[in-house]
Amino acid sequence: MPFRAPITEYRFLLDHVVGFSQVAATDLFSEATPDTVEAILNGAGKLCDEVLAPLQRPSDLQGARLENGIVRTTPGFAEAYGQIAEGGWVALSAGQDHGGMGLPIALTSCVNDMMGAACLGLQLNPLLTQGQIEALEHHASPELQALYLPRLISGEWTGTMNLTEPSAGSDVGALRSKAEPNGDGTYAVSGQKIFISWGDHDFGGNVCHLVLARLPDGAPGTRGISLFLVPKLIPDENGNPGQPNSLRVVSLEHKMGLHGSPTAVMEYDRATGWLVGEPHKGMAAMFTMMNNARLGVGIQGISVAEGAYQHALAYAIDRKQGKPITGTTGAIVDHPDVRRMLAGMKAELFAARAIALANAVAIDMARATGDAEWSARAALLTPITKAYGTDTGIAVAQTGIQVHGGMGFIEETGAAQYLRDVRVTAIYEGTNGIQAADLVGRKMMDGGEAAFRLLQEVQDGAEAARTHLPELAGEVWDAAESLREGTEALVAQDMVDRLAGSVAYLRAFALVLGAHFHLRAAIADAGQGARAALAQVYIRRQLPQYTALLAEMRDGAAALYALSPEDLAA
Amino acid sequence: MPFRAPITEYRFLLDHVVGFSQVAATDLFSEATPDTVEAILNGAGKLCDEVLAPLQRPSDLQGARLENGIVRTTPGFAEAYGQIAEGGWVALSAGQDHGGMGLPIALTSCVNDMMGAACLGLQLNPLLTQGQIEALEHHASPELQALYLPRLISGEWTGTMNLTEPSAGSDVGALRSKAEPNGDGTYAVSGQKIFISWGDHDFGGNVCHLVLARLPDGAPGTRGISLFLVPKLIPDENGNPGQPNSLRVVSLEHKMGLHGSPTAVMEYDRATGWLVGEPHKGMAAMFTMMNNARLGVGIQGISVAEGAYQHALAYAIDRKQGKPITGTTGAIVDHPDVRRMLAGMKAELFAARAIALANAVAIDMARATGDAEWSARAALLTPITKAYGTDTGIAVAQTGIQVHGGMGFIEETGAAQYLRDVRVTAIYEGTNGIQAADLVGRKMMDGGEAAFRLLQEVQDGAEAARTHLPELAGEVWDAAESLREGTEALVAQDMVDRLAGSVAYLRAFALVLGAHFHLRAAIADAGQGARAALAQVYIRRQLPQYTALLAEMRDGAAALYALSPEDLAA
């Protein structure tokens, strides 16, 4: 059974669950009419089904490699990327000033989702370009914008982000890369960067690196970091790729998965770069794009959950083994535990996707209205989307392997690849631990106000649902109430205790939100039928974890630090 | 930091947690004195540290391969296997009648545990031989025993289990392999078997296959299956490997992990075999060995958890990144969320290992005393050990990757290999879903009696612990009470509902047992110190999941079957 982009699911979520109609009703996004939405979803879906999905296994088997300093990508990738660019799928949300369509992030998110489900390794390329476009739109000079944006938006050129160094990972402020003024407005950028996804390729065009480095007068730590645009080929006076810049791919990493995406060690040796934004304000520029990039990575997790789910379901419907004690098909999908796995996968996938699209809607509404409450909503949801989306990707891929039984461990089956590919999404763009720290730290600097506002909506939704689904609605209301009390307890904790419970708290929040959206879906389905059954699966079989998670959050850090490093090693 | 076998941990568990002294006090195991135990743990530990652990990475990079019909194993494996055999580590528990030492399974379990932690791919080889020895000890004729057992016990020859066929996996009864009498007491065995671990190797000696096949008059299904011993080389009149038998390795699987262990497709073409046990009673013979084999696989999960934990801890103690807001080392081990991950890994590993060793003690006590209550205890614990042990291996390996951050996704680091290797343990020897079905089905045919007896011990232990640790003891008592009530609810459910909640129920049971053993460890440590802190980590941060799991169990199957296969595909 070949991959099919879940078009109707996106439509259902946009129309009935995450309030996309509010976005389409704004002036800014008035072009996002139902017809446009349908045309985009169908067009992207066709590309995913026919062009990207067939590259999934090849991307694993014949991953990117470095040959004499040249990166060679999976056979078929260059052509497929050409079709992504030609179709205008690289940057639907880029501004119209430089050739973009200015469509909502919610739509871009659906397209990213289906592209990632079809072939994650290739999808990561335009995702990175999207982040670069956003950074340049917000921070680059008009001259840089005019030169780079049209070419990035069209997909002719691609973008990368260069943050990490061997001794500067989660602690970006420790970086050592330097930039010295050349006296002509450009800078000489030097240093080694690691984990640079799509650091080079053989698609033609140009590769534009956004590089964090420190100016000679830059303070230590994050406050002394500046952002530079460093192209692989220096554009000539006509804007065409010209002389090679002084940079190179030193090596590609040998990774657990995502073999299709070349992960480069990059060496910059007085490479010519252009400052993006103010000197020493590089971190601020990175933060602008980080929220959307984290949404994008959360959606990668959801993508893989979609791919792994479709793959496992097809197997379970096809595979005869044993005589199921109930059901009608005679295939393993009728075995109770297999049915449980599949229903659980689908329920979790729905929840994670709804959270991500609600996050995208909040970003769109913040842009369209300038309303600080929408901004706060988007900021609050982003670490939840990223961590829960990628954790869902891992969990669903794990379960997908299990559905396959022994075949799941055999690489030809393809189930293992989903797990190997998605594993990195819980790590890059800020580990999921960093996401949780962001949630309980920066995102609670309002004392929990944005959280309480959102939980009030969850409880209002549960109240409204009581007519049709009294029991499930009651369970969601109670969970939101516990989370509200838990949030009050959290903001009263000191930071060590907060951080010790941060991952648990984030997951509890995600479960409550997931249950909220499931309830909405069930009500949209008149409180009966498949949506209500799926809501019950989620609310009865996954949501109840919140009590344990909040208990963990409340336990604080004392027992953890009662164990010394020596105790841990004993 | 190189791997070190956790000798003191085994000693602590045997002496203070799982009641090994009862085993040593029996006549059957009177030789298992403290000195013997210490000599065995130290001797095996030295082999693991010095010989097996260095083969871990090579086993992944240079896995087994098939060359012109010959299986070539990882360089170094043949020599290391020679040392395992020479040291007498293949079969510590084999009977003394045929050259074994007749030591308790609890000791074998510790040795298997450390060997698996050092190099899982190689450890699987003697584990399979252990299973074969047990099958032959119980079911083979004296002649077969005299010929095969001494050579298997010494490790000169190795054993395999051939159950699975392309259309007969979890449903063994669907197998198509045939055996026809040759008229001279031997049988001509024909058929294809898949997923045959260590189906061949280049260690010398002989490879002895236990093959399930159907005699001409065998009924359909599991009741018509017989068990045959089919050696790769037919022993001559002196018992030396002679003429090649009519069998071959068709191919080796390309697996997600465990590359060191060759997984063969085997073809038998009228190969000469000897009947083991009665005609048509092959499944009964398999069941004899299955409990111990499942214990062995559960321990494989625990092994990998040990390896992954040591590996992640070493990284976290060494790696400086960011400035921890508390702690004294300046390394990432002091970041609250990293500390949480490591403490959680250690707590879960302890719990799973204690359950497995308690299971082994029950097996030993059943053998030594013939007491039906010990047999029932062993039978009850086995699916829990297998599923929780392997789930723990997967979870700890996952977290180990996360502790490493970006380096965790790079294969050279070694963290990913633990996950790739251990993943199959949740699948083979009966998937973890099959384990859960066994627990709620066959193991509850006593109406829950063995479970209630065990839970009474848990509650008695909690009562005794109230003096030192009133709060933690109270939480364990409450959890055991909920599980007791949950068990009553479970045995009243129909089988579809039971199966739908079986995995959740098994996990809840494991958590309660894990908490019970943590409490015992804390009390042995006078209710304070590192053991008590670790008990708190487990009881406060992991045990509370039981409420959600029991809620899931109680929800039954209705919502799952309200979703049709078409709904799942929509």
Side-chain angles (χ1 to χ4, degrees), chain A residues 1 8-9 57 61 165-172 174 194-195 253-258 263 309 313 317 319-323 325-329 333-337 339-340 342-344 346 394 397-402 405-412 416 419-424 426-427 431-434 495-496 499-504 529-531 533-534 536-537 540-542 544-548 551-553 555-570, chain B residues 1 8-9 57 61 165-172 174 194-195 253-258 263 309 313 317 319-323 325-329 333-337 339-340 342-344 346 394 397-399 401-402 405-412 416 419-424 426-427 431-434 495-496 499-504 529-531 533-534 536-537 540-542 544-549 551-553 555-570:
Chain A
M1 200 161 97
T8 51
E9 188 72 357
R57 286 295 296 137
L61 296 167
E165 299 178 8
S167 294
S170 296
D171 181 15
V172 180
I194 62 170
F195 298 150
E253 302 292 355
H254 175 219
K255 309 191 300 290
M256 182 187 187
L258 215 61
T263 302
Y309 172 70
L313 178 63
I317 288 175
R319 170 77 172 167
K320 306 274 192 288
Q321 182 73 181
K323 193 176 146 38
I325 62 169
T326 185
T328 55
T329 70
V333 67
D334 277 337
H335 285 301
D337 190 56
R339 183 69 65 99
R340 171 195 66 86
L342 291 165
K346 188 177 176 74
I394 292 170
Q398 282 280 17
T399 310
I401 292 174
Q402 200 68 18
M407 293 306 295
F409 199 59
I410 306 300
E411 285 290 358
E412 281 80 358
L419 177 60
R420 291 187 294 96
D421 284 355
V422 78
R423 186 63 188 81
V424 73
I427 297 170
T431 66
N432 286 4
I434 296 284
M495 197 47 77
V496 178
L499 289 170
S502 58
V503 165
R531 296 279 176 192
L534 199 66
Q536 181 178 336
V537 169
R540 291 278 169 76
R541 303 180 86 96
Q542 302 194 20
Q545 295 164 19
Y546 77 85
T547 52
E552 183 179 351
M553 180 274 284
D555 199 49
L560 301 181
Y561 287 91
L563 293 162
S564 68
E566 293 72 33
D567 291 332
L568 289 172
Chain B
M1 200 158 95
T8 52
E9 188 71 357
R57 286 294 296 138
L61 296 167
E165 300 180 6
S167 294
S170 296
D171 181 15
V172 179
I194 62 170
F195 300 152
E253 302 291 354
H254 175 219
K255 308 191 301 289
M256 183 187 185
L258 214 62
T263 303
Y309 173 69
L313 178 64
I317 287 175
R319 171 75 172 169
K320 307 273 193 287
Q321 182 72 182
K323 195 178 144 34
I325 63 170
T326 187
T328 55
T329 70
V333 67
D334 277 338
H335 285 300
D337 190 55
R339 184 69 66 99
R340 171 195 66 86
L342 291 165
K346 188 177 176 75
I394 292 170
Q398 281 281 14
T399 309
I401 292 174
Q402 199 67 18
M407 294 305 295
F409 198 60
I410 307 299
E411 286 290 357
E412 281 80 358
L419 177 61
R420 290 187 294 95
D421 284 355
V422 78
R423 186 62 187 83
V424 72
I427 297 170
T431 67
N432 286 3
I434 296 283
M495 197 48 77
V496 178
L499 289 170
S502 59
V503 164
R531 296 279 177 192
L534 198 67
Q536 182 178 335
V537 168
R540 291 280 169 76
R541 304 180 84 97
Q542 302 192 22
Q545 295 164 20
Y546 77 84
T547 52
L549 293 163
E552 184 179 350
M553 179 274 284
D555 199 47
L560 302 181
Y561 287 91
L563 293 162
S564 67
E566 293 71 33
D567 292 331
L568 289 172

Side-chain angles (χ1 to χ4, degrees), chain B residues 228-407:
Chain B
F228 299 89
L229 181 57
V230 185
K232 174 186 174 185
L233 304 169
I234 298 175
D236 64 18
E237 61 276 18
N238 301 315
N240 295 317
Q243 289 303 310
N245 209 337
S246 184
L247 58 88
R248 69 187 182 101
V249 175
V250 178
S251 59
L252 297 184
E253 302 291 354
H254 175 219
K255 308 191 301 289
M256 183 187 185
L258 214 62
H259 298 158
S261 161
T263 303
V265 175
M266 300 293 301
E267 183 81 38
Y268 297 87
D269 180 15
R270 299 190 61 81
T272 303
W274 284 262
L275 184 67
V276 175
E278 300 293 305
H280 317 313
K281 301 287 187 194
M283 285 305 289
M286 293 309 297
F287 268 111
T288 311
M289 58 185 288
M290 208 173 273
N291 267 350
N292 288 16
R294 288 177 171 182
L295 167 65
V297 172
I299 285 171
Q300 288 195 314
I302 294 159
S303 290
V304 174
E306 175 71 40
Y309 173 69
Q310 287 195 23
H311 190 257
L313 178 64
Y315 183 82
I317 287 175
D318 184 59
R319 171 75 172 169
K320 307 273 193 287
Q321 182 72 182
K323 195 178 144 34
I325 63 170
T326 187
T328 55
T329 70
I332 64 168
V333 67
D334 277 338
H335 285 300
D337 190 55
V338 175
R339 184 69 66 99
R340 171 195 66 86
M341 288 192 275
L342 291 165
M345 292 159 85
K346 188 177 176 75
E348 189 170 354
L349 167 56
F350 174 88
R353 183 176 273 147
I355 292 168
L357 290 180
N359 190 348
V361 163
I363 293 169
D364 288 326
M365 291 305 292
R367 273 191 66 199
T369 67
D371 183 331
E373 289 197 2
W374 279 117
S375 300
R377 170 72 52 90
L380 178 74
L381 287 176
T382 298
I384 300 174
T385 296
K386 198 279 183 180
Y388 187 64
T390 58
D391 284 346
T392 293
I394 292 170
V396 169
Q398 281 281 14
T399 309
I401 292 174
Q402 199 67 18
V403 168
H404 284 83
M407 294 305 295

Side-chain angles (χ1 to χ4, degrees), chain A residues 127-151:
Chain A
L127 184 65
L128 289 161
T129 302
Q130 289 167 22
Q132 181 160 124
I133 290 168
E134 200 188 358
L136 297 182
E137 284 184 337
H138 282 87
H139 299 285
S141 67
E143 294 74 24
L144 280 182
Q145 289 187 350
L147 176 57
Y148 284 88
L149 282 175
R151 292 166 176 87

Side-chain angles (χ1 to χ4, degrees), chain A residues 358-373:
Chain A
N359 190 346
V361 163
I363 293 170
D364 288 326
M365 291 305 292
R367 271 190 69 201
T369 66
D371 184 332
E373 289 196 2

Side-chain angles (χ1 to χ4, degrees), chain A residues 303-315 341-347 349 396-397 400 418, chain B residues 565 567-570:
Chain A
S303 292
V304 175
E306 175 71 40
Y309 172 70
Q310 287 194 23
H311 190 258
L313 178 63
Y315 183 81
M341 289 193 273
L342 291 165
M345 292 161 86
K346 188 177 176 74
L349 168 56
V396 170
Y418 288 113
Chain B
D567 292 331
L568 289 172

